[in-house]
C-alpha cells in the first residue's frame, strides 16, 4: 500500500485529485453564495442565459481540445506535442470567433421577451474564446505530465472565479458575475503563459505533421465534439426546455439549484479519469491491462458513490434548507432524482465513456450518443410538459441509465474480445 501511495504521489495523482476536490468545494460555495446574493427571479434569468451559452460552448474549438488530449498524450517528444497544439490553435481561434457571433445573432433574432436575459447573452458572447484558451493550456500541462502546474492553474482559476464573482454580485448584481468570470480567465491564462515561458516550452522547434495524421486529428476532433456535445446535452437541454416551455424563472431557479450538488460531485470520477487518461491512452492496445484497471476503478467508485448518494437522498430536506434556504425547498424532489442520477453517472457512465474515448472508440460513442440524444430531447419535451421540472429530472435520470448500459456493454464486449 505504501508503494502504491508513493507511486501515486510521485505521478501527481494527489495534486490533481486534491485540486479537483478543492475546486469543486469552492465552486459549490460560489453557487450557494450566488443563490443568496441575487433574487430567485434573477438567478433564474442568469441560469437560463448561462445555459444557452454553455450549449454553444459544447462546440468550442471545433473539438480540438479532445484531439489534443489524445494526440498530445501519445506524442513521442515535446516537438511533436507542440506541433499538434499549434495545429489545434489554428483551427480553434477562427471557429471560436464564429461561435461568439452566433451567440450575438441568437440574442438578437430569437424571441427573447426578457430584455435582461438578452443583454446578459450579449455580455457573455465572448466567453467561448476565454474558456477554450484556459482549457487548451490546462490540456498542455496535463499531456506534458506537469500535474503540479495543472493543479495550481485549476485552483487559481476556481478561486478567482469565486472571489471575483462574489464581489461582482455584491457590487452590480448579475453583470458583476459576468465581469468577474472574464477577469478570472484573463488572469489565469496570463499565469499559464508565464509558467510555460519560464519552462522555455516555446523555444522548442515544431515538426511537420503528415497529411494523414492531420486528417486523423481533425476527424477525431469533429467526432469527439459531436459525441461529447450530444452526451453533455443531458445536463443542458432540460434547463433550456424548462425556460422555453414553462417560462417561469422561479421554477427554473429551483431546478438549477437542485442540480448544483449532484452535478458538481461528478468531479470525483472526472478528476480520476483526468489523471489516468495519459496512462490509458498509452496502453490502449493492451486490452487485458485496460480491462483489469477499469474493473478496479469501477468497483471503487460504486462503493464510494453509494454512500454519498444515500446521504444526499435521505437528508435532502436538511441539505436544501441549510445551504439554499426555505425558498428553495420545492427543489427537494428534483434533488433526490438527480442524486440517484449522480450515482449512475459517476459509477458507470462517465468512467465507461472516458475509457471508450481513450481506446479511440469515438465512432461508437458518436452513434450511441446521437441515438440517446434523440431520446433525451423527446423525453425532456414530453415529461417537462407533463410534470414540469420533475419531468426534467426524471428524463435526465432515464438517459443516464440508458447511456450507462450502452457504454458498459460495448466496453466489456470490446475488451474481452480476442
Amino acid at each position: 500500500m505504501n508503494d502504491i501511495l508513493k507511486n501515486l504521489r510521485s505521478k501527481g495523482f494527489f495534486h490533481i485529485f486534491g485540486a479537483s476536490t478543492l475546486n469543486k468545494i469552492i465552486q459549490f460555495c460560489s453557487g450557494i453564495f450566488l443563490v443568496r446574493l441575487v433574487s430567485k427571479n434573477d438567478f433564474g434569468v442568469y441560469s437560463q442565459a448561462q445555459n444557452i451559452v454553455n450549449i454553444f460552448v459544447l462546440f468550442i474549438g471545433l473539438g480540438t481540445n479532445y484531439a489534443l488530449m489524445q494526440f498530445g498524450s501519445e506524442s513521442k517528444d515535446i516537438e511533436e506535442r507542440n506541433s499538434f497544439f499549434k495545429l489545434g490553435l489554428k483551427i480553434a481561434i477562427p471557429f471560436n470567433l464564429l461561435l461568439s457571433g452566433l451567440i450575438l445573432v441568437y440574442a438578437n433574432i430569437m424571441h427573447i421577451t426578457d430584455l435582461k436575459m438578452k443583454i446578459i447573452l450579449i455580455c457573455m458572447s465572448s466567453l467561448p474564446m476565454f474558456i477554450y484558451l484556459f482549457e487548451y493550456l490546462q490540456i498542455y500541462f496535463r499531456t506534458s505530465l506537469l500535474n503540479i502546474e495543472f493543479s495550481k492553474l485549476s485552483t487559481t482559476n476556481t478561486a478567482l472565479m469565486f472571489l471575483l464573482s462574489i464581489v461582482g454580485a455584491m457590487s452590480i448584481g448579475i453583470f458583476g458575475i459576468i465581469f468577474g468570470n472574464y477577469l478570472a480567465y484573463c488572469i489565469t491564462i496570463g499565469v499559464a503563459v508565464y509558467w510555460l515561458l519560464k519552462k522555455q516550452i516555446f523555444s522548442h522547434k515544431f515538426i511537420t505533421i503528415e497529411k494523414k495524421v492531420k486528417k486523423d486529428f481533425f476527424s477525431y476532433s469533429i467526432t469527439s465534439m459531436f459525441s461529447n456535445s450530444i452526451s453533455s446535452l443531458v445536463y443542458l437541454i432540460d434547463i433550456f426546455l424548462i425556460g422555453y416551455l414553462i417560462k417561469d424563472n422561479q421554477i427554473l431557479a429551483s431546478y438549477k439549484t437542485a442540480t448544483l450538488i449532484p452535478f458538481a460531485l461528478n468531479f470525483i470520477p472526472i478528476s480520476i479519469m483526468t489523471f489516468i487518461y495519459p496512462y490509458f491512452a498509452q496502453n490502449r492496445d493492451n486490452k487485458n491491462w485496460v480491462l483489469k484497471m477499469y474493473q478496479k476503478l469501477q468497483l471503487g467508485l460504486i462503493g464510494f458513490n453509494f454512500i454519498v448518494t444515500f446521504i444526499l437522498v435521505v437528508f435532502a430536506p436538511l441539505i436544501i434548507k441549510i445551504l439554499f434556504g426555505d425558498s428553495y425547498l420545492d427543489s427537494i424532489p428534483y434533488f433526490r432524482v438527480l442524486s440517484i442520477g449522480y450515482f449512475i453517472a459517476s459509477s458507470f457512465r462517465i468512467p465507461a465513456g472516458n475509457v471508450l474515448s481513450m481506446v479511440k472508440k469515438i465512432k461508437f460513442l458518436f452513434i450511441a450518443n446521437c441515438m440517446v440524444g434523440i431520446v433525451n430531447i423527446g423525453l425532456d419535451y414530453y415529461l417537462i410538459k407533463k410534470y414540469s421540472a420533475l419531468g426534467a429530472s426524471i428524463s435526465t435520470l432515464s438517459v443516464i441509465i440508458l447511456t450507462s448500459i450502452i457504454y458498459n456493454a460495448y466496453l466489456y464486449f470490446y475488451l474481452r474480445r480476442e
Side-chain angles (χ1 to χ4, degrees):
M1 180 60 71
N2 286 334
D3 290 339
I4 293 172
L5 291 174
K6 286 179 181 178
N7 189 37
L8 289 173
R9 189 182 300 113
S10 66
K11 291 182 176 179
F13 171 75
F14 293 111
H15 286 97
I16 290 177
F17 191 79
S20 296
T21 303
L22 179 61
N23 291 347
K24 287 303 175 183
I25 291 172
I26 295 172
Q27 287 173 9
F28 178 63
C29 291
S30 176
I32 295 173
F33 277 101
L34 293 180
V35 166
R36 293 186 176 272
L37 285 174
V38 298
S39 69
K40 191 171 183 179
N41 186 73
D42 277 358
F43 185 69
V45 173
Y46 175 73
S47 297
Q48 190 174 359
Q50 184 185 45
N51 195 72
I52 291 169
V53 171
N54 285 341
I55 291 174
F56 284 95
V57 167
L58 293 176
F59 305 96
I60 57 169
L62 206 59
T64 51
N65 273 351
Y66 298 113
L68 289 173
M69 188 67 196
Q70 183 71 30
F71 285 77
S73 296
E74 294 177 354
S75 296
K76 296 184 289 292
D77 51 50
I78 192 169
E79 286 81 11
E80 184 179 13
R81 184 183 304 115
N82 285 357
S83 300
F84 280 122
F85 275 81
K86 180 182 178 182
L87 174 63
L89 202 61
K90 286 173 68 176
I91 296 170
I93 296 296
F95 189 78
N96 289 337
L97 292 173
L98 175 63
L99 281 182
S100 294
L102 290 174
I103 295 173
L104 290 173
V105 170
Y106 181 93
N108 285 284
I109 69 170
M110 294 301 289
H111 298 292
I112 300 175
T113 56
D114 195 316
L115 179 61
K116 181 178 282 189
M117 194 178 83
K118 182 178 289 189
I119 296 171
I120 290 171
L121 279 173
I122 293 171
C123 292
M124 297 175 77
S125 62
S126 297
L127 275 176
M129 183 68 77
F130 289 87
I131 293 171
Y132 176 84
L133 291 174
F134 174 68
E135 291 182 357
Y136 173 90
L137 292 164
Q138 276 192 309
I139 291 169
Y140 190 91
F141 285 121
R142 187 65 201 97
T143 55
S144 303
L145 300 180
L146 298 170
N147 294 327
I148 295 176
E149 288 82 357
F150 169 85
S151 304
K152 286 181 178 178
L153 187 66
S154 299
T155 304
T156 301
N157 179 260
T158 307
L160 286 171
M161 284 280 194
F162 171 69
L163 292 172
L164 296 175
S165 294
I166 297 303
V167 171
M170 293 175 67
S171 304
I172 51 176
I174 293 174
F175 297 100
I177 299 171
I178 298 169
F179 176 76
N181 288 343
Y182 277 115
L183 187 56
Y185 278 122
C186 285
I187 295 171
T188 45
I189 289 168
V191 169
V193 172
Y194 172 73
W195 286 346
L196 291 175
L197 287 171
K198 279 189 68 176
K199 291 183 177 294
Q200 298 183 326
I201 296 295
F202 302 121
S203 64
H204 293 271
K205 295 180 180 179
F206 299 100
I207 64 170
T208 302
I209 302 174
E210 297 177 3
K211 283 187 177 181
K212 182 182 180 303
V213 179
K214 284 184 179 180
K215 184 179 178 182
D216 291 341
F217 179 92
F218 192 67
S219 175
Y220 190 96
S221 299
I222 296 292
T223 310
S224 296
M225 178 189 70
F226 281 111
S227 178
N228 284 281
S229 296
I230 296 167
S231 178
S232 297
L233 279 176
V234 173
Y235 303 105
L236 298 174
I237 197 68
D238 47 5
I239 290 178
F240 177 80
L241 287 176
I242 289 171
Y244 178 76
L245 296 173
I246 308 301
K247 300 185 187 301
D248 188 327
N249 291 328
Q250 301 282 326
I251 293 175
L252 196 148
S254 292
Y255 183 79
K256 175 66 176 179
T257 301
T259 68
L260 291 177
I261 298 176
F263 289 1
L265 285 173
N266 283 329
F267 87 90
I268 296 169
I270 289 172
S271 59
I272 292 172
M273 302 314 292
T274 299
F275 169 74
I276 68 173
Y277 198 107
Y279 304 102
F280 270 68
Q282 291 163 10
N283 291 278
R284 63 188 177 85
D285 295 323
N286 188 345
K287 291 183 180 181
N288 289 331
W289 185 91
V290 174
L291 177 61
K292 184 179 178 181
M293 292 299 106
Y294 179 69
Q295 287 175 329
K296 286 184 177 180
L297 170 69
Q298 193 166 57
L299 189 62
L301 285 171
I302 290 170
F304 177 82
N305 292 326
F306 178 81
I307 296 170
V308 173
T309 303
F310 179 81
I311 293 170
L312 293 178
V313 172
V314 173
F315 296 102
L318 186 62
I319 293 170
I320 296 295
K321 186 171 184 177
I322 291 174
L323 296 180
F324 306 113
D326 292 337
S327 61
Y328 286 94
L329 287 174
D330 58 333
S331 67
I332 291 172
Y334 327 142
F335 178 83
R336 282 177 165 152
V337 174
L338 293 170
S339 294
I340 297 170
Y342 153 74
F343 171 76
I344 304 296
S346 59
S347 302
F348 302 98
R349 181 177 182 269
I350 294 173
N354 274 268
V355 173
L356 283 168
S357 179
M358 292 170 193
V359 297
K360 290 193 171 181
K361 293 299 176 182
I362 54 172
K363 288 184 180 178
F364 166 78
L365 286 171
F366 175 69
I367 294 170
N369 288 335
C370 281
M371 294 169 58
V372 174
I374 295 170
V375 174
N376 182 25
I377 294 171
L379 266 180
D380 258 327
Y381 188 86
Y382 173 76
L383 292 175
I384 289 172
K385 287 196 75 172
K386 193 173 181 67
Y387 302 110
S388 188
L390 181 60
S393 58
I394 294 171
S395 174
T396 297
L397 174 60
S398 302
V399 170
I400 288 172
I401 292 172
L402 179 60
T403 45
S404 297
I405 293 171
I406 294 172
Y407 285 3
N408 281 273
Y410 183 79
L411 179 60
Y412 276 102
F413 167 77
Y414 167 74
L415 294 176
R416 286 173 172 163
R417 185 179 61 186
E418 295 297 330

